């Protein structure tokens, strides 16, 4: 446990690890399990690079850039997923799916977010399918069905899942023809605000594999440009919204978590296909340390704590 932070002596010490600094502010800190756990994790993360039991300035800079700055200076990106005509009033109108949800209802809260929250970056994803895409039910006879598929082409219905043959058999949910490249149905809805300097990311362009996530195709064979663009913008926090909650929004959120971003799904800015699938998606996000919030809970991050503030100021001064 930490009993005192001593700016005059050898720095901040916890176990065998100490911060070396003569400029730390002087005040007492009440011991806490949270602080002890923080320093335990800090030790394990290996910021004492030369293993001398001390954190020198170079090691602190490494710690700052890899850990602390990510917490106290987050960069946020908003991913607006597939708010396209076909999902709102076109061939894959969500109101005709089992959850009977109205995709048009996401536009007002998304626009309000874009007007009121200063995101560091905004991305719009678009399903962008070729006409012979594997997910279209009317293309089912273009490909051989694998012998393990319980559904044959003549019996297939929209939203069924079949198994197509290939070097690696692929399970594929069958959808109505939707978001065909350069069609009206593939356009973003006219009432959706598109901010200046936003970036559009196109997915589902390979006819042989579907792409729910804005990061990867469903086989995880080929990525979009999004991951590199987030890295280039030094994004730490990813907010996700759009259509459909239990399909492309959920897949994108889970991939963002897997990559290592703090991930927040904005629930009132989403609508979905199936209520049970939406609940499963929500639980998966929460179980993997993502967050699910309402749009009125989203605001620029603010970290204030009477114990931490002097140290945060110090961290800013050396960054």
């Amino acid at each position: 446990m930490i009993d005192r932070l001593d700016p005059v002596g050898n720095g901040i010490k916890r176990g065998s690890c100490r911060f070396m600094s003569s400029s730390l502010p002087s005040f007492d800190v009440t011991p806490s399990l949270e602080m002890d756990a923080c320093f335990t994790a800090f030790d394990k993360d290996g910021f004492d690079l030369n293993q001398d039991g001390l954190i020198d300035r170079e090691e602190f800079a490494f710690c700052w850039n890899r850990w602390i700055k990510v917490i106290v200076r987050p960069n946020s990106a908003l991913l607006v997923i597939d708010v396209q005509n076909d999902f709102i009033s076109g061939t894959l109108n969500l109101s005709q799916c089992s959850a009977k949800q109205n995709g048009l209802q996401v536009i007002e809260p998304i626009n309000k977010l874009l007007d009121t929250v200063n995101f560091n970056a905004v991305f719009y994803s678009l399903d962008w399918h070729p006409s012979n895409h594997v997910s279209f039910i009317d293309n089912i006879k273009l490909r051989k069905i694998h012998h393990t598929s319980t559904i044959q082409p003549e019996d297939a219905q929209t939203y069924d899942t079949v198994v197509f043959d290939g070097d690696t058999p692929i399970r594929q949910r069958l959808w109505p023809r939707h978001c065909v490249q350069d069609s009206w149905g593939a356009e973003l809805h006219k009432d959706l605000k598109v901010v200046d300097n936003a970036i559009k990311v196109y997915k589902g362009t390979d006819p042989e594999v579907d792409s729910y996530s804005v990061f990867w195709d469903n086989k995880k064979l080929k990525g979009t440009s999004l991951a590199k663009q987030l890295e280039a913008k030094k994004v730490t926090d990813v907010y996700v919204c759009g259509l459909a909650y239990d399909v492309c929004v959920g897949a994108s959120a889970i991939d963002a978590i897997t990559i290592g971003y703090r991930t927040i799904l904005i629930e009132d800015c989403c609508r979905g296909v199936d209520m049970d699938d939406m609940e499963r998606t929500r639980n998966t996000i929460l179980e993997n340390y993502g967050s699910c919030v309402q749009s009125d809970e989203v605001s620029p991050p603010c970290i204030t704590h009477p114990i931490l503030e002097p140290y945060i100021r110090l961290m800013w001064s050396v960054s």
Side-chain angles (χ1 to χ4, degrees):
M1 303 290 287
I2 301 171
D3 295 319
R4 182 174 176 82
L5 303 183
D6 183 2
V8 178
N10 289 324
I12 303 175
K13 182 178 180 180
R14 195 278 173 190
S16 61
C17 183
R18 298 181 297 186
F19 286 110
M20 296 299 293
S21 174
S22 61
S23 58
L24 292 172
S26 177
F27 52 87
D28 289 326
V29 176
T30 302
S32 69
L33 292 175
E34 291 84 359
M35 187 70 79
D36 195 53
C38 176
F39 274 81
T40 298
F42 179 90
D43 285 345
K44 289 179 180 178
D45 281 345
F47 293 111
D48 181 15
L49 302 178
N50 58 16
Q51 298 296 302
D52 64 354
L54 305 174
I55 299 296
D56 59 29
R57 192 174 186 84
E58 180 180 346
E59 290 167 336
F60 180 76
F62 178 83
C63 165
W64 164 261
N65 288 313
R66 297 297 183 90
W67 189 49
I68 300 173
K69 188 165 72 170
V70 173
I71 298 171
V72 301
R73 287 187 176 176
N75 277 346
S76 61
L78 177 67
L79 308 186
V80 182
I81 307 296
D82 299 359
V83 184
Q84 295 166 269
N85 290 324
D86 269 345
F87 297 124
I88 294 172
S89 58
T91 58
L92 222 174
N93 186 337
L94 292 186
S95 66
Q96 297 175 4
C97 297
S98 63
K100 305 296 183 185
Q101 296 200 331
N102 183 356
L104 188 64
Q105 293 174 341
V106 306
I107 292 178
E108 182 178 349
I110 290 175
N111 287 350
K112 184 176 179 180
L113 271 179
L114 292 168
D115 285 335
T116 59
V117 179
N118 186 25
F119 294 101
N120 297 100
V122 177
F123 296 83
Y124 297 83
S125 79
L126 296 93
D127 255 7
W128 199 250
H129 298 313
S131 62
N132 60 340
H133 196 255
V134 66
S135 71
F136 297 165
I137 188 169
D138 55 337
N139 288 336
I140 190 170
K141 294 184 179 180
L142 299 181
R143 296 167 180 85
K144 184 179 179 181
I145 295 291
H146 193 261
H147 65 86
T148 60
S149 180
T150 59
I151 297 175
Q152 297 304 307
E154 59 272 16
D155 302 318
Q157 302 292 319
T158 305
Y159 312 124
D160 283 344
T161 298
V162 299
V163 182
F164 285 115
D165 201 8
D167 294 336
T168 302
I170 182 171
R171 289 174 55 83
Q172 176 63 54
R173 194 173 186 181
L174 299 174
W175 301 97
R177 178 174 292 268
H178 65 280
C179 298
V180 175
Q181 294 172 4
D182 297 313
S183 69
W184 170 87
E187 295 174 4
L188 296 174
H189 192 277
K190 64 180 178 61
D191 294 333
L192 178 69
K193 180 174 182 174
V194 178
V195 298
D196 294 339
N197 301 317
I199 298 172
K200 293 180 180 179
V201 181
Y202 297 87
K203 61 188 180 67
T205 60
D206 185 337
E208 300 304 323
V209 61
D210 215 349
S211 297
Y212 293 164
S213 169
V214 69
F215 290 94
W216 293 92
D217 65 57
N218 289 4
K219 283 187 173 182
K220 295 290 194 293
L221 296 177
K222 186 177 180 181
T224 67
S225 62
L226 180 60
K228 289 184 178 179
Q229 293 184 91
L230 291 175
E231 184 177 0
K233 293 179 178 294
K234 302 186 185 304
V235 167
T236 59
D237 296 13
V238 171
Y239 292 81
V240 189
C241 63
L243 308 172
Y245 188 133
D246 47 328
V247 189
C248 296
V249 174
S252 299
I254 291 165
D255 275 353
I257 293 169
T258 301
I259 292 169
Y261 293 108
R262 279 195 299 263
T263 303
I264 304 96
L265 186 144
I266 310 170
E267 292 192 283
D268 59 322
C269 294
C270 301
R271 293 296 184 272
V273 172
D274 179 86
M275 295 301 295
D276 289 339
D277 287 345
M278 290 167 64
E279 184 63 22
R280 279 190 287 269
T281 298
R282 187 179 197 275
N283 290 338
T284 299
I285 291 169
L286 295 176
E287 288 166 3
N288 287 277
Y289 307 104
S291 298
C292 295
V293 303
Q294 299 300 304
S295 59
D296 60 6
E297 299 176 86
V298 178
S299 62
C302 180
I303 298 177
T304 59
H305 192 289
I307 290 176
L308 295 180
E309 282 176 353
Y311 288 91
I312 292 173
R313 288 198 297 270
L314 172 66
M315 293 167 189
W316 287 354
S317 71
V318 299
S319 64

